[in-house]
Amino acid sequence: MKNKHETAVCAAALAAIALFAFWHAIARGESREFTLTAAFSDGSRISYAVETTERFLGPALRERGLIEGEAGEEGFEIVSVAGQSADASKGEGWRLYKGEDELEGDIDRVRLRGGDAYILSFTSPMIEEGLALANSCTDCA
């Protein structure tokens, strides 16, 4: 009787381990779809529908060849988006938004959720100056 009980317990344990391994493999490989819109220096925009099994935004965009950059002190620093480079020595760069909210920090730590929409927007001192002038215009109606 004891051997049958031990056999049943071992079989149940092995089944639980196999089920956990199967679930874990599926969860890791779960496909996520999201949208990236690249807003370029000339004002044009291109949207990309991205499907990936990556869990974080940075690796998903590098996997598709949509961003290039290098590891920096504060995480991955984006140098180019969809072929347009930003020159940091001129104060140019890329800002990341989710909806209308700017996301700060490392793009490699932005967790993907299906259906999310992101914007990578080119920025430079000239663009910032133009926005400040436009926002301060009192006779522009």
Side-chain angles (χ1 to χ4, degrees):
M1 188 71 134
K2 187 177 179 184
N3 286 341
K4 287 182 182 181
H5 178 69
E6 289 175 352
T7 303
V9 169
C10 285
L14 287 173
I17 291 169
L19 185 59
F20 175 78
F22 177 73
W23 173 82
H24 186 66
I26 289 174
R28 246 186 357 181
E30 178 183 320
S31 181
R32 294 164 182 82
E33 295 180 15
F34 65 94
T35 303
L36 173 72
T37 300
F40 300 106
S41 61
D42 63 1
S44 65
R45 291 174 171 247
I46 299 177
S47 291
Y48 302 90
V50 180
E51 183 175 344
T52 185
T53 57
E54 294 287 347
R55 296 180 349 181
F56 296 95
L57 183 58
L61 296 177
R62 284 194 298 278
E63 174 185 73
R64 290 282 304 266
L66 292 172
I67 63 170
E68 293 179 6
E70 52 198 38
E73 291 178 16
E74 296 181 24
F76 187 80
E77 296 178 11
I78 299 170
V79 174
S80 71
V81 175
Q84 180 174 353
S85 295
D87 186 345
S89 70
K90 296 179 182 177
E92 298 172 347
W94 294 95
R95 290 192 177 163
L96 176 63
Y97 297 86
K98 182 177 179 184
E100 293 185 14
D101 298 324
E102 184 173 1
L103 302 179
E104 295 185 14
D106 188 359
I107 193 169
D108 285 347
R109 294 180 182 255
V110 175
R111 185 175 292 278
L112 288 172
R113 308 252 188 294
D116 286 347
Y118 299 94
I119 299 170
L120 274 169
S121 182
F122 183 86
T123 188
S124 73
M126 286 184 88
I127 292 172
E128 295 298 319
E129 184 178 312
L131 290 174
L133 289 174
N135 289 335
S136 68
C137 185
T138 57
D139 298 326
C140 298

